[in-house]
Amino acid sequence: EVQFVESGGGLVQAGGSLRVSCAASGFYFDEYVIAWFRQAPGKEREGVSCISGYDGSTYYGESVKGRFTISSDKAKSTVYLQMNSLKPEDTAAYYCVARATRSCAVTMMGPMSYLEGWGQGTLVTVSS
């Protein structure tokens, strides 16, 4: 069973930085892509970023491109999301999910029903 434990969220001022992490278990890293999604109060879930366990390729949503960086440590089965130049509109619960594919584009654009491992998430609050 695909499982994630997210951590690292907190309160930060606009313009600040934060790094969130998710520890993965229950699947073979190299055969999946792992993505960060977020959900703000009253809004739909939004794909933020993705990394392929197969080749390390990455994908970023337009709203975070140039500000966020995704990375992974396969030895630790952990994926990180470094968030810089944070804005109040980045306030949301951040979740890691996985899909058994090699393509981040397929993962980020496809149905959410294919995403596995929705956990508790980690809350990021950006104050203005």
Side-chain angles (χ1 to χ4, degrees):
E1 180 185 6
V2 174
Q3 290 186 324
F4 292 101
V5 177
E6 298 94 345
S7 62
L11 175 64
V12 62
Q13 288 188 332
S17 298
L18 204 60
R19 189 179 79 160
V20 291
S21 307
C22 67
S25 63
F27 63 99
Y28 187 52
F29 219 80
D30 287 2
E31 295 178 354
Y32 282 72
V33 298
I34 298 170
W36 283 96
F37 277 70
R38 67 186 181 186
Q39 187 167 23
K43 295 188 176 181
E44 293 186 352
R45 284 175 177 168
E46 174 192 10
V48 176
S49 184
C50 174
I51 186 164
S52 170
Y54 172 67
D55 61 7
S57 57
T58 59
Y59 174 102
Y60 297 94
E62 287 299 320
S63 62
V64 305
K65 200 172 290 185
R67 300 187 297 122
F68 290 12
T69 302
I70 192 169
S71 62
S72 67
D73 184 335
K74 288 187 178 182
K76 296 181 178 180
S77 297
T78 299
V79 174
Y80 305 96
L81 186 68
Q82 176 67 44
M83 303 182 290
N84 299 327
S85 302
L86 282 161
K87 305 175 181 180
E89 51 264 44
D90 294 317
T91 294
Y94 284 71
Y95 302 89
C96 266
V97 289
R99 179 171 174 173
T101 178
R102 294 178 176 180
S103 169
C104 271
V106 167
T107 300
M108 302 302 278
M109 300 300 180
M112 290 197 186
S113 58
Y114 287 100
L115 304 176
E116 303 177 64
W118 293 99
Q120 295 299 310
T122 186
L123 182 61
V124 173
T125 304
V126 184
S127 62
S128 57

